[in-house]
Amino acid sequence: MQTEFSSEQQLLRDVVSRALRDKSPPGAVRELMASDRGYDPAVWQELGAGAGLAGVHVPEAWGGAGGGPVELGIVAEEMGRTLFCGPFFASAVMAGNALMEAADESARAELLPGVASGSVIAALVLDDLNSPAAVGGSLRARDDGRLAGTAAIVVDAHVADLLLVVARTGPDLGLHAVGSGAPGLEIEPLQVVDPTRKLSRVTFAGVPARPIGTVGGEALNRTWDLMSSALAHEMIGGAQRLFESTVAYTKERFQFGRPIGSFQALKHRCADLLLEIELARAVTHHAARCLAAGEGEPWAASMAKAAAADAFMSAARAGIQLRGGIGFTWEDDTHLWFKRAKSSEVLLGTPAIHRERMMTMLEGAA
Amino acid sequence: MTPEQIRREVSAWLDANWRIDRPLLEWRNILLEGGWAAPHWPEEWHGRGFTLDQAMVVSEVFREMDVVPAAQVGPRGLASETILACGSDDQKERYLKPILTGEDTWCQLFSEPGSGSDLAGLSTRAEFVDGRWIINGQKVWNTSAHHADFGLLVARTDRDVPKHQGISYFLLDMRQPGVEARPLRQMNGHQSFNEVFMTNAVVSPEDLIGGEGNGWHVAKTTLSFERRGFSRRVRGSSLDGPKQGPIYEEYEEELRIAAEPYTWYPQREGRVDLVLPRARETGAIHDPAVRQQIAKLICLHSGARLAADSAEAGRRAGTTEIIPAGSIGKLAASVIARQASHVHTMISGADALLSGPDSAADGMIAEVLVSVPAISIAGGTDEIQRNIISERVLGMPKGYRADQGPFRDIKRNA
Ligand SMILES: Cc1cc2nc3c(=O)[nH]c(=O)nc-3n(C[C@H](O)[C@H](O)[C@H](O)COP(=O)(O)OP(=O)(O)OC[C@H]3O[C@@H](n4cnc5c(N)ncnc54)[C@H](O)[C@@H]3O)c2cc1C
């Protein structure tokens, strides 16, 4: 198992970081978060397809760049730094991993290349976003094969060309492909706390669907782990960037005739935050390496999701507190990171849920 | 060399040289000659220039073959690392070998009643009289000083310059009439540290290390090694289980004295290893609130281990500075120990009222509860680590200082 990044992986990070600095500045984030669509198709075309980011983790045989969870983590981490707005998480991370883990061979060969090249935007439809154990409570395939039920929250469904739906099929869970124009399908955009992550409610009233695979417990859990690991990376990127800007602010802002960064209460809070982020980053990078190698602690991804979420929220709270009043304004950018931290903290399970999942893997259920 | 090559070479050498009927000192001398006593030291000084990971492989083989290693318990490691980094060839010649053979033990004479965190505010005096340094003053909290042969001593040689500039670093012979160590009892009942009184104690000029007035620099070297030790994985030096043979008896006797002050050190780190077994044994493993706290602990513990490994890799590659990395590791060790102590309390419930043989895990849990407070003080307090991290890593501005100008004009404890 890897313990450090290879020089190719470092290079990937540099390239992605430079591209995002140009393509995803705070001004663009503000414009996109206010738009209905929530992303810029030209930028998505350039990064997803041109730079090959949408398929960074997909094998070359299916049109990807041949990386894995580590490379996916690198891209997610850099995107988290800039609060990148686009269907990367929904399509590449969620739908892409679900296809790789649960779709039949022929469906993979047919659908993955589009997702990997970014030319098709896919969304993974789950009827529960808290825990894999709760998936399958609402969505089902009727006897006639059509889908029924509601997914209360789906990421980026409003811009998806393709929906991949996990629905109960008899005793099992099945993966189903549904085109965005299918009859009986309703996609309603929802009001959200974090406008950089667009969410919709998706209702199926007898929607024709194509079954493309069985989602066994193992596949579902592994998909959840891969998504959680990528999300943890995204959070670490956000936490680190916000932390850096917060520390920089404490050096510029003067009160009582001195920079506020010279007050020990603030210095100690920043030192504690640095420690929290360092440790969370270490377990996050470790999670991707475990998933890539198929070894290590089975709970590594849950550990990373919990640690990164706590660290990002700490960084977000400090980001606002250490800026004082300006930090609570709409005008200042800090709240964009705060809201992304909040949405990431709960998406795919709160830290408490992941800690319990971890303990269940370690010691069995409570 | 690859781990396999190291393994092969050291096993072959041990097959030819290791015997349990040799006297301990004779064995250690052979070990030194063979270059296996401290393989991570430089080749000119008894070592092979191995990385710490490579040296770890050597220790593994020693442990597997039940071979007695070079002496390594206690502050002797601080002494050897400091002498290797800052000492003259003459000092390395005289001091390094008996550290490895176990003939000399060491202690660290840094803290004073009037200055602990503010180490550079120390007031023990060293004056050059008739070709020798004469030392007067008091040190405190000095672990192992009651049985040490030598001390790493910082003392003031010039009171007319700013405080960091007037300090010099000495290698003090503890076995002389002018030095007296008195054991102090700690809140956990152990007596590991001492107060040390120096009254006209004598140091020869050859035992000044790093040059006059350069003691602060040398002290920082010692401290960085000390703090790094908190984040490094513990390398046990005792062999598993009792072994039969004359050399083992001598070795056990050495450990009994040298390791005695440190028997509670694993407890001050929180005994993370006992958490799951205790939770299973008591049934607390089924309590959702306890499970959350255990998971948090595992998370912190894994994170610290992984972060230390990558800092170590960074240090080898020359990208990580030792001092801040040591401070981050030390602060992490404190956070982990506190969380472990909290979890042990939750698991034990009312049984946490008891101590000694009446209590859980033969007193270990009780000892955790009353030993953990030490980890955030010894080796530089948590607050000091946070100061270092915020100033050295984050570049945050230093606060107002009231201790500039000549040392003699600074306000101090009476
Ligand atoms: C178990 C143990 C073993 C030890 N072994 C040794 C040894 O072998 N050799 C040796 O020389 N020493 C040893 N020490 C001493 C140790 O290094 C000191 O106790 C420590 O540096 C703190 O100094 P102090 O006790 O004087 O407390 P003080 O420095 O008086 O600190 C009191 C409080 O003030 C805080 N404080 C002080 N300055 C600042 C600041 N600038 N900013 C914010 N807060 C501040 C501290 O964090 C602490 O909370 C040992 C201590 C312990 C507990």
Side-chain angles (χ1 to χ4, degrees), chain A residues 111-335:
Chain A
L111 299 176
L112 267 169
V115 172
S117 72
S119 59
V120 172
I121 293 175
L124 180 64
V125 181
L126 297 163
D127 54 16
D128 190 279
L129 283 180
N130 293 304
S131 150
V135 168
S138 165
L139 294 173
R140 62 192 168 85
R142 296 188 327 208
D143 292 343
D144 61 3
R146 294 180 175 236
L147 299 181
T150 302
I153 300 174
V154 179
V155 184
D156 281 346
H158 67 302
V159 293
D161 309 304
L162 170 69
L163 300 181
L164 297 171
V165 188
V166 176
R168 193 158 287 291
T169 316
D172 298 323
L173 291 176
L175 190 63
H176 307 261
V178 173
S180 57
L185 177 69
E186 197 186 350
I187 299 175
E188 304 160 73
L190 299 167
Q191 289 200 14
V192 292
V193 165
D194 167 19
T196 67
R197 211 192 284 291
K198 303 288 185 198
L199 307 173
S200 312
R201 175 169 38 237
V202 181
T203 311
F204 297 83
V207 177
R210 185 154 65 95
I212 58 169
T214 308
V215 187
E218 203 176 307
L220 181 59
N221 273 295
R222 186 165 159 88
T223 305
W224 207 275
D225 283 342
L226 289 161
M227 298 189 298
S228 298
S229 163
L231 186 52
H233 282 80
E234 195 193 290
M235 290 192 280
I236 287 299
Q240 179 64 29
R241 164 76 177 273
L242 181 55
F243 179 51
E244 286 164 11
S245 73
T246 303
V247 170
Y249 183 79
T250 70
K251 297 179 190 174
E252 291 158 12
R253 169 79 177 167
F254 274 66
Q255 289 292 285
F256 300 94
R258 53 196 264 205
I260 57 170
S262 69
F263 293 115
Q264 203 174 45
L266 272 55
K267 288 162 90 166
H268 284 196
R269 184 156 178 181
C270 289
D272 285 336
L273 200 46
L274 175 132
L275 177 66
E276 192 177 0
I277 296 172
E278 286 289 319
L279 300 193
R281 187 196 339 271
V283 294
T284 296
H285 290 165
H286 178 66
R289 290 163 186 168
C290 289
L291 288 166
E295 45 184 88
E297 306 87 338
W299 57 87
S302 270
M303 183 157 80
K305 172 69 171 63
D310 284 344
F312 197 4
M313 276 311 299
S314 296
R317 279 190 298 267
I320 292 175
Q321 181 66 21
L322 270 54
R323 282 172 174 81
I326 190 82
F328 193 66
T329 62
W330 192 267
E331 184 196 341
D332 188 77
D333 288 335
T334 308
H335 71 107

Side-chain angles (χ1 to χ4, degrees), chain A residues 264 268, chain B residues 75 78 107-119 139-145 152 186 192-193 223 226-227 262 264-265 268 373-384 387 413:
Chain A
Q264 203 174 45
H268 284 196
Chain B
L78 297 182
C107 67
Q108 182 188 16
L109 303 173
F110 278 26
S111 304
E112 299 183 359
S115 57
S117 301
D118 180 17
L119 177 59
K139 296 286 171 178
V140 74
W141 324 129
N142 313 110
T143 309
S144 291
L152 300 168
Q186 298 149 193
S192 318
F193 56 36
L223 289 175
E226 184 176 14
R227 287 169 192 160
Y262 308 98
W264 59 279
Y265 273 38
R268 81 177 184 181
I375 199 163
S376 44
I377 301 172
T381 66
D382 279 8
E383 289 74 22
I384 294 303
N387 289 348
N413 295 302

Side-chain angles (χ1 to χ4, degrees), chain B residues 76-303:
Chain B
R76 74 175 78 236
L78 297 182
S80 53
E81 297 288 3
T82 305
I83 293 168
L84 274 171
C86 307
S88 64
D89 282 355
D90 162 60
Q91 287 163 342
K92 293 178 189 171
E93 190 67 50
R94 284 184 293 131
Y95 289 114
L96 292 177
K97 189 173 165 207
I99 287 178
L100 292 176
T101 60
E103 288 160 281
D104 290 349
T105 65
W106 286 73
C107 67
Q108 182 188 16
L109 303 173
F110 278 26
S111 304
E112 299 183 359
S115 57
S117 301
D118 180 17
L119 177 59
L122 60 90
S123 55
T124 290
R125 271 176 296 138
E127 286 153 311
F128 200 61
V129 184
D130 296 337
R132 313 174 307 170
W133 293 99
I134 304 297
I135 317 289
N136 280 288
Q138 189 199 332
K139 296 286 171 178
V140 74
W141 324 129
N142 313 110
T143 309
S144 291
H146 54 299
H147 60 64
D149 301 297
F150 293 93
L152 300 168
L153 171 73
V154 279
R156 188 158 304 281
T157 43
D158 189 346
R159 302 167 75 79
D160 297 320
V161 293
K163 64 181 193 174
H164 293 90
Q165 295 165 27
I167 296 172
S168 301
Y169 197 124
F170 300 95
L171 308 173
L172 173 76
D173 183 354
M174 298 286 287
R175 313 273 186 208
Q176 57 169 306
V179 177
E180 188 198 351
R182 294 186 203 149
L184 292 165
R185 190 154 188 235
Q186 298 149 193
M187 68 172 271
N188 60 2
H190 289 269
Q191 297 190 8
S192 318
F193 56 36
N194 303 265
E195 37 187 1
V196 174
F197 298 88
M198 287 154 297
T199 317
N200 295 322
V202 178
V203 177
S204 74
E206 301 81 64
D207 287 330
L208 169 69
I209 178 168
E212 186 178 343
N214 203 23
W216 181 246
H217 170 72
V218 184
K220 279 198 298 186
T221 307
T222 310
L223 289 175
S224 69
F225 283 114
E226 184 176 14
R227 287 169 192 160
R228 209 143 56 88
F230 283 86
S231 58
R232 204 135 0 95
R233 272 177 250 188
V234 214
R235 213 178 337 158
S237 45
S238 75
L239 302 169
D240 306 330
K243 299 280 175 307
Q244 296 292 318
I247 196 167
Y248 294 124
E249 278 159 35
E250 254 189 287
Y251 183 48
E252 284 305 318
E253 178 64 9
E254 174 185 89
L255 284 182
R256 203 182 52 73
I257 299 167
E260 196 279 327
Y262 308 98
T263 54
W264 59 279
Y265 273 38
Q267 282 69 271
R268 81 177 184 181
E269 292 177 13
R271 290 308 294 266
V272 175
D273 60 318
L274 292 181
V275 165
L276 282 174
R278 287 275 304 143
R280 289 182 202 127
E281 174 187 310
T282 56
I285 195 69
H286 303 296
D287 177 340
V290 174
R291 290 162 76 89
Q292 286 291 317
Q293 298 305 322
I294 294 178
K296 276 188 187 169
L297 174 63
I298 294 173
C299 223
L300 290 169
H301 194 247
S302 309

